[in-house]
């Protein structure tokens, strides 16, 4: 794959995420972005991470810029790491918890956006419960505003995918030789979709998904993965297991019978961890349901890199924020 | 009433030679030569054009629930601009046609506009609810040709069976949208590769086939006359064929957009491609086209649902489904001819004779004595369809910018020029 290769050239995201010079403008999804640019994000994140060895250290890169965290859906981890990332870049940060704000009073999403734009914000970090929300917002913001997708419905969560690639790279410098297994609710997971696109973009040797059919999209193979109903088969020899959170409400829609059956069939136990390759790692975007997706001893065990993922999240988001603003400041 | 001469067009049911067509008193009165004592008062130049009976569109929403801009007048204008002279109204209109007064109101509005003929469907259930029958007898007396609950569900099969039995005793056709609402759920796209890719809730084909197969069993049971609205998938055609082969009193239509677009049109969260039932796969489209060709599906309709711009200005799943399609029905159906899918004769039959039979109306012809509902189409001249030029109050179309070869240049209803 050449440096300028775009994995999904026809995706509309390709058209709106980059400016005329090919620089990052909005970050909506992994697809549509050249591999070289994704590598650049990882490279820049690496430089931030060594710089921020002392966590209080600030970089004046986005001084004078206003970043709005526009969260239409509850989130602690993602919002917090975005806030920390923005603050370390010296930006002013506005946190808007839209789940309880204007839109629930009947204001349309479009009106909310127009009002915020009128306040001269430079960037929206958006989380929304509908797939395609970030794309919709990009179509309606003024030129000077950047949009970062912090999770839209079931569609995409590209910053999570990038921080996972960053983490994975720390353990496996050569992606072409490894197999990665995603376990859990693929159907409803924006993390899964972005993860799969990122793994494909970076040329991962083999991508597997493990779930009962109720939690797999129809035609899941069209995403470029091999699916397994058995976790044992899916994990065998894999270098990383990415576990997905099982939302409690799935137990009510007849997707799975109950948590204990899910744990029995799909939970990552210590015994199952041994099926991974010798140097295999365990990842989870959090928050973890201990005793559902994984045994506590696995979450806290030597193979787990879950806290490393959180730590990396700040540096990777710093890289994405500053790159998306680059066309406007440098 | 004006005496009209349509000059030099090629008549759809005739040979290739051009002939003049004369209309008076709302009827076709002469072909080739004017009748004695005929003085031409108005001329329509149809040289190099096709003259066909006006299209009958089985699915036009004139005043959709929740929309403010579309009116009976604006949508009548859109219909005649698309060569449609008769519209059958969908029940998802405001006011909901569940009472004679509501049906009469729409009839009056359409009559005031004075452009198209209206055939009304009545709401099967009061307020389009799921358990309380509307006064179907009264709806029939006021002129409804059939009943439907649109895309709204019936409470259960028992209620549906009673609807069918009661409707058949009132000689009303049941217009049924096959969709199992539990299976369809919150779905907004075909449950396939595109939905998997975009993370959109899917509507499985089984939502249609399961409902269709159940309904077929009830038709067998009750003998009620049922028309299946807007088939979208190959497997539904299979079930329909079995029903037809068994001799059941059923018929079906397809929306024109299903014959041109597939699930891929939704890529990029394209809200104008958000329809219910959803756009499906190429294989489905192929089977639907074949069913139209063979006459298994007897009518092509527009499923015209004009929407205010706000209805599409939201993240994809939150947008309202629907296409304002009445203006593209005839041009796209004729594109099926130039694309080699249908013969001209078949395309015209699916726009005129097929829907007429479904509505229990006489088959439109170009014979002297027939009602002069006509449409003049300029062929083989490229033009670009533009949403901004639409007559409908709704500009929600996925066909914006399409290059078409057939263009409606004049529409005549009851011998009167209503669009040119």
């Amino acid at each position: 794959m050449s440096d300028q290769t775009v994995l999904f050239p026809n995706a509309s995201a390709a058209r709106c995420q980059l400016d005329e010079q090919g620089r990052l403008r909005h970050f909506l999804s992994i697809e549509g972005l050249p591999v070289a640019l994704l590598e650049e994000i990882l490279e820049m994140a690496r430089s931030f991470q060594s710089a921020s060895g002392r966590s209080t250290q600030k970089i004046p890169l986005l001084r004078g810029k206003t970043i709005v965290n526009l969260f239409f859906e509850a989130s602690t981890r993602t919002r917090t790491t975005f806030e920390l990332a923005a603050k370390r870049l010296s930006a002013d940060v506005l946190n808007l918890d839209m789940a309880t704000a204007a839109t629930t009073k009947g204001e349309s999403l479009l009106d909310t956006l127009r009002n915020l734009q009128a306040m001269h914000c430079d960037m929206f970090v958006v989380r929304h419960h509908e797939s395609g929300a970030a794309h919709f917002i990009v179509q309606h913001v003024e030129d000077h505003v950047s949009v970062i997708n912090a999770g839209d419905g079931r569609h995409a969560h590209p910053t999570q995918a990038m921080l996972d690639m960053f983490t994975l790279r720390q353990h496996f410098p050569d992606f072409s030789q490894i197999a990665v297994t995603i376990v859990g609710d693929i159907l409803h997971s924006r993390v899964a979709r972005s993860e799969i696109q990122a793994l494909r973009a970076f040329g991962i040797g083999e991508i597997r998904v493990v779930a009962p059919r109720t939690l797999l999209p129809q035609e899941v193979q069209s995403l470029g993965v091999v699916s397994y109903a058995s976790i044992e088969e899916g994990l065998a020899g894999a270098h990383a297991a990415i576990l997905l959170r099982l939302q409690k409400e799935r137990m009510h829609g007849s997707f799975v019978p109950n948590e204990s059956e899910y744990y029995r069939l799909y939970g990552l136990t210590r015994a199952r961890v041994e099926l991974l390759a010798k140097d295999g790692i365990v990842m989870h975007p959090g928050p973890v349901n201990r005793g559902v997706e994984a045994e506590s001893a696995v979450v806290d065990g030597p193979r787990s890199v879950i806290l490393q993922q959180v730590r990396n999240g700040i540096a990777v988001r710093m890289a994405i924020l500053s790159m998306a603003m680059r066309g406007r400041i440098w | 009433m004006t005496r009209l001469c349509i000059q030099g067009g090629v008549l759809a049911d005739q040979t290739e030679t051009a002939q003049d067509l004369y209309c008076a008193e709302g009827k076709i009165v002469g072909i080739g030569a004017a009748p004695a004592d005929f003085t031409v008062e108005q001329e329509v130049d149809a040289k190099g054009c096709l003259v066909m009976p006006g299209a009958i569109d089985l699915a036009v929403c004139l005043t959709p629930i929740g929309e403010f801009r579309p009116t009976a007048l604006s949508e009548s204008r859109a219909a005649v601009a698309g060569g449609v002279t008769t519209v059958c109204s969908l029940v998802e209109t405001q006011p909901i046609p569940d009472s004679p007064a509501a049906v009469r109101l729409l009839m009056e509005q359409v009559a005031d506009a004075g452009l198209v003929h209206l055939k009304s469907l009545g709401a099967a259930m009061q307020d389009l609810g799921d358990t309380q029958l509307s006064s179907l007898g009264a709806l029939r007396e006021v002129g409804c040709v059939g009943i439907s609950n649109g895309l709204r569900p019936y409470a259960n099969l028992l209620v549906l069976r009673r609807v069918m039995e009661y409707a058949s005793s009132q000689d009303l056709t049941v217009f049924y949208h096959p969709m199992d609402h539990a299976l369809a759920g919150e779905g907004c796209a075909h449950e396939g590769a595109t939905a998997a890719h975009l993370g959109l809730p899917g509507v499985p084909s089984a939502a249609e086939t399961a409902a269709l197969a159940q309904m077929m069993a009830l038709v067998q049971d009750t003998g009620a006359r049922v028309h299946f609205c807007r088939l979208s998938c190959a497997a539904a055609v299979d079930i329909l064929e079995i029903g037809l082969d068994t001799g059941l009193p059923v018929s079906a239509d397809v929306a024109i957009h299903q014959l041109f677009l597939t699930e891929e049109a939704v890529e990029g969260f394209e809200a104008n491609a958000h329809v219910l039932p959803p756009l499906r796969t190429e294989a489905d489209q192929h089977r639907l086209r074949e069913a139209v060709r063979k006459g298994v599906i007897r009518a092509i309709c527009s499923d015209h649902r004009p929407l205010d711009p706000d209805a599409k200005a939201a993240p994809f799943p939150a947008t309202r489904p629907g296409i304002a399609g009445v203006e593209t029905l005839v041009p796209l159906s004729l594109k099926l001819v130039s694309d080699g899918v249908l013969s001209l004769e078949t395309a015209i039959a699916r726009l005129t004779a097929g829907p007429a039979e479904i509505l229990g109306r006489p088959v439109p012809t170009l014979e002297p004595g027939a009602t002069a509902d006509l449409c003049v189409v300029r062929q083989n001249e490229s033009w670009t369809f533009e949403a901004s030029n639409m007559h409908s109050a709704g500009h929600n179309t996925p066909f914006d910018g399409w290059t078409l070869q057939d263009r409606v240049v004049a529409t005549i209803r009851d011998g009167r020029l209503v669009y040119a």
Side-chain angles (χ1 to χ4, degrees):
Chain A
M1 215 176 260
S2 83
D3 276 2
Q4 286 307 310
T5 304
V6 173
L7 192 58
F8 304 89
N10 296 323
S12 71
R15 295 196 293 272
C16 61
Q17 295 194 97
L18 305 175
D19 68 11
E20 283 122 27
Q21 283 86 47
R23 293 176 303 194
L24 191 66
R25 190 158 171 259
H26 306 291
F27 193 64
L28 307 180
S29 82
I30 300 291
E31 64 179 9
L33 294 178
V35 177
L37 190 138
L38 299 176
E39 287 284 5
E40 199 185 340
I41 290 172
L42 298 189
E43 190 53 45
M44 187 178 255
R46 223 170 346 257
S47 73
F48 281 134
Q49 197 156 54
S50 38
S52 63
R54 287 201 182 99
S55 60
T56 48
Q57 203 170 332
K58 279 203 179 193
I59 305 163
L61 221 44
L62 298 185
R63 180 171 292 156
K65 297 289 174 186
T66 305
I67 295 177
V68 183
N69 278 328
L70 200 53
F71 277 58
F72 293 88
E73 200 181 71
S75 157
T76 309
R77 190 170 319 226
T78 303
R79 193 187 55 71
T80 311
T81 49
F82 265 112
E83 185 176 350
L84 272 175
K87 284 183 170 162
R88 288 199 185 151
L89 293 167
S90 309
D92 296 319
V93 182
L94 199 60
N95 286 312
L96 294 179
D97 176 10
M98 304 306 293
T100 57
T103 46
T104 55
K105 294 178 197 156
E107 187 179 67
S108 83
L109 175 53
L110 218 45
D111 286 333
T112 305
L113 284 176
R114 287 179 183 137
N115 277 287
L116 288 168
Q117 250 175 193
M119 299 173 200
H120 295 289
C121 300
D122 300 289
M123 178 181 276
F124 293 146
V125 176
V126 186
R127 168 166 292 189
H128 196 280
H129 47 87
E130 301 279 20
S131 301
H135 283 76
F136 172 74
I137 288 170
V138 160
Q139 286 161 11
H140 292 90
V141 291
E142 288 165 19
D143 270 356
H144 66 89
V145 180
S146 277
V147 177
I148 308 293
N149 186 0
D152 63 325
R154 308 176 181 183
H155 171 239
H157 193 356
T159 61
Q160 177 72 44
M162 286 308 292
L163 74 90
D164 286 347
M165 294 308 109
F166 188 85
T167 309
L168 209 49
R169 183 60 71 72
Q170 290 176 325
H171 294 267
F172 304 100
D174 181 7
F175 278 178
S176 66
Q177 300 304 314
I178 65 171
V180 174
T181 304
I182 305 175
V183 184
D185 185 358
I186 313 291
L187 176 65
H188 297 97
S189 174
R190 53 191 169 218
V191 173
R193 277 178 186 76
S194 285
E195 213 79 80
I196 290 166
Q197 288 170 4
L199 292 167
R200 286 183 66 185
F202 281 101
I204 295 282
E206 190 184 344
I207 311 166
R208 311 173 191 167
V209 295
V210 172
R213 273 186 63 188
T214 46
L215 298 179
L216 287 176
Q218 291 292 315
E219 305 196 31
V220 66
Q221 73 287 351
S222 69
L223 300 176
V225 299
V226 181
S227 68
Y228 295 84
S230 147
I231 189 169
E232 281 79 13
E233 289 173 28
L235 288 179
H239 298 81
I242 301 177
L243 309 180
L244 299 174
R245 181 176 164 81
L246 185 73
Q247 305 286 344
K248 299 274 181 195
E249 64 256 31
R250 303 297 168 234
M251 260 61 78
H252 303 303
S254 307
F255 289 99
V256 289
N258 51 58
E259 292 182 344
S260 61
E261 164 129 339
Y262 182 85
Y263 178 67
R264 202 167 57 73
L265 295 181
Y266 296 101
L268 191 59
T269 58
R270 274 175 293 181
R272 284 171 176 156
V273 166
E274 295 310 314
L275 298 170
L276 292 172
K278 260 195 181 59
D279 49 354
I281 57 174
V282 176
M283 302 168 77
H284 193 303
V288 183
N289 290 310
R290 288 167 184 262
V292 181
E293 293 110 39
E295 187 178 349
S296 256
V298 170
V299 175
D300 303 327
R303 309 269 202 137
S304 167
V305 299
I306 296 172
L307 292 177
Q308 195 182 336
Q309 287 173 271
V310 179
R311 200 157 43 239
N312 291 341
I314 299 169
V316 169
R317 287 178 173 125
M318 284 172 75
I320 292 165
L321 294 182
S322 52
M323 281 175 65
M325 296 290 264
R326 182 160 57 183
R328 294 163 174 79
I329 53 178
W330 292 345
Chain B
M1 208 172 269
T2 317
R3 295 177 160 218
L4 192 71
C5 174
I6 300 166
Q7 287 185 320
V10 173
L11 306 191
D13 59 351
Q14 307 281 319
T15 55
E16 292 290 302
T17 51
Q19 297 192 80
D20 296 344
L21 189 148
Y22 298 90
C23 310
E25 309 296 329
K27 305 275 187 207
I28 297 170
V29 293
I31 287 167
D37 304 335
F38 190 96
T39 47
V40 176
E41 291 168 4
Q42 191 173 19
E43 289 177 352
V44 176
D45 180 10
K47 284 185 210 58
C49 295
L50 171 77
V51 179
M52 58 178 265
I56 299 172
D57 190 342
L58 285 181
V60 173
C61 202
L62 295 159
T63 53
I65 295 169
E67 310 300 325
F68 301 104
R69 299 187 191 191
T71 61
L73 178 61
S74 68
E75 302 321 296
S76 294
R77 280 185 181 139
V80 294
V84 172
T85 50
T86 300
V87 301
C88 179
S89 61
L90 294 168
V91 293
E92 288 111 335
T93 58
Q94 54 186 2
I96 292 167
D98 60 358
S99 69
V103 173
R104 243 185 251 120
L105 180 67
L106 186 65
M107 287 174 166
E108 281 166 17
Q109 288 172 345
V110 173
D112 285 348
L115 298 171
V116 290
H117 297 290
L118 172 69
K119 298 296 165 207
S120 288
L121 293 186
M125 312 304 280
Q126 271 183 32
D127 207 26
L128 299 180
D130 63 359
T131 44
Q132 184 66 50
L133 266 175
S134 303
S135 305
L136 301 189
L139 291 176
R140 189 178 114 80
E141 283 159 20
V142 78
C144 288
V145 292
I147 54 148
S148 169
N149 222 29
L151 286 165
R152 307 284 181 89
Y154 296 93
N156 52 51
L157 290 179
L158 178 63
V159 169
L160 180 54
R161 184 171 183 252
R162 297 224 164 106
V163 167
M164 295 165 72
E165 289 173 336
Y166 193 83
S168 72
S169 64
Q170 306 303 315
D171 196 27
L172 285 162
T173 303
V174 177
F175 285 65
Y176 182 71
H177 294 252
M179 183 188 285
D180 183 279
H181 288 259
L183 283 172
E186 298 294 302
C188 58
H190 171 63
E191 189 185 85
T194 300
H197 172 221
L198 295 178
L200 294 172
V203 180
S205 296
E208 184 164 310
T209 53
L212 189 63
Q214 280 187 330
M215 189 63 167
M216 216 51 103
L218 290 181
V219 173
Q220 195 149 35
D221 177 42
T222 61
R225 199 164 63 233
V226 172
H227 176 71
F228 294 109
C229 306
R230 316 310 99 79
L231 296 194
S232 72
C233 60
V237 174
D238 298 338
I239 297 169
L240 176 66
E241 271 186 331
I242 294 169
L244 288 168
D245 288 347
T246 320
L248 296 179
V250 294
S251 56
D253 69 54
V254 64
I256 186 71
H257 50 254
Q258 293 286 0
L259 302 179
F260 281 98
L261 303 174
T262 63
E263 56 174 341
E264 282 174 31
V266 169
E267 281 291 351
F269 299 103
E270 182 48 60
N272 280 323
H274 181 192
V275 285
L276 273 182
L279 299 168
R280 299 201 187 269
T281 66
E282 249 183 75
D284 290 309
Q285 183 180 92
H286 182 80
R287 188 85 174 88
L288 289 168
R289 284 176 162 203
E290 184 191 59
V292 170
R293 186 169 60 237
K294 287 163 62 182
V296 173
I297 291 175
R298 282 161 66 194
I300 307 173
C301 66
S302 69
D303 201 21
H304 180 72
R305 294 172 189 266
L307 300 173
D308 290 335
D310 287 349
K312 294 289 190 187
F316 187 92
T319 57
R320 273 206 284 287
I323 290 173
V326 75
E327 288 167 75
T328 38
L329 173 64
V330 170
L332 286 173
S333 296
L334 294 177
K335 182 171 163 58
L336 291 172
V337 178
S338 46
D339 289 354
V341 178
L342 302 180
S343 67
L344 178 63
E345 188 189 0
T346 305
I348 292 174
R350 303 296 174 259
L351 292 171
T352 59
E357 283 162 11
I358 289 160
L359 295 173
R361 310 296 305 165
V363 171
T365 67
L366 297 179
E367 308 284 319
T371 303
D373 289 345
L374 304 163
C375 158
V376 181
V377 182
R378 185 173 303 288
Q379 295 193 288
N380 309 316
E381 191 181 290
S382 284
W383 66 290
T384 303
F385 178 75
E386 286 175 45
S388 56
N389 292 337
M390 286 170 74
H391 295 75
S392 169
H395 291 182
N396 47 307
T397 175
F399 299 110
D400 186 27
W402 276 44
T403 301
L404 301 170
Q405 302 296 327
D406 303 279
R407 181 172 205 163
V408 175
V409 292
T411 304
I412 291 102
R413 192 214 63 172
D414 284 335
R416 191 163 70 82
L417 189 65
V418 286
Y419 172 76

